[in-house]
Amino acid sequence: IEDGMNLGIWLNTQRSKKKKGKLDGSLEKRLVDVGVVWDINSELWEKKYCLLVNFQQREGHLNIPQRQIEDGVKLGAWLNTQRKKKKMGKLDSSCKRRLDEIGFVWTFSPHYI
């Protein structure tokens, strides 16, 4: 809350307007200039993907235990979610492609659970 205004609600309203093509262009530019993230889910996915790549570079593999935590993020659980989304046909194709490109293991050994 800033000056009596709930900024979270206000920002979500601006995101909704942008999505509908109803956000004033000058306001959008000003929000971009201060670093507003328009798609939070994509931003979070990207952060976790980067953690995955860092793990791979450090450890030399992607056989990540389900309980693995990286920088406070439950990376193993996130990967399990990606596997489930793929199995259900709900994983975004660009996300699947990026995971495939780094050699992500879609099935895992019980050793890594």
Side-chain angles (χ1 to χ4, degrees):
I1 299 205
E2 187 73 26
D3 291 333
M5 177 182 268
N6 187 321
L7 291 179
I9 292 173
W10 180 83
L11 185 54
N12 282 335
T13 300
Q14 306 319 302
R15 287 183 177 120
S16 180
K17 285 180 180 180
K18 180 180 178 349
K19 195 173 188 178
K20 294 174 184 174
K22 296 182 178 183
L23 183 63
D24 177 72
S26 63
L27 177 56
E28 181 177 347
K29 182 185 180 329
R30 289 185 297 173
L31 291 170
V32 166
D33 289 346
V34 297
V36 166
V37 173
W38 295 108
D39 186 341
I40 296 170
N41 291 331
S42 292
E43 186 81 9
L44 291 173
W45 194 93
E46 187 65 32
K47 176 184 178 189
K48 292 171 184 178
Y49 176 80
C50 288
L51 290 172
L52 177 63
V53 170
N54 289 341
F55 179 95
Q56 181 186 40
Q57 290 172 345
R58 183 182 74 235
E59 303 295 332
H61 63 81
L62 288 171
N63 296 322
I64 298 176
Q66 188 159 351
R67 296 182 184 191
Q68 184 70 31
I69 296 175
E70 296 285 317
D71 289 343
V73 173
K74 295 178 181 178
L75 189 60
W78 177 75
L79 292 173
N80 192 42
T81 299
Q82 303 313 296
R83 288 181 178 105
K84 286 179 183 178
K85 284 183 174 183
K86 178 183 179 268
K87 189 174 183 178
M88 296 176 357
K90 294 186 176 186
L91 183 63
D92 182 84
S93 61
S94 65
C95 294
K96 181 187 177 307
R97 178 185 47 77
R98 290 180 70 195
L99 290 168
D100 285 340
E101 286 173 354
I102 62 169
F104 178 65
V105 179
W106 290 105
T107 57
F108 54 88
S109 165
H111 169 70
Y112 293 102
I113 296 177

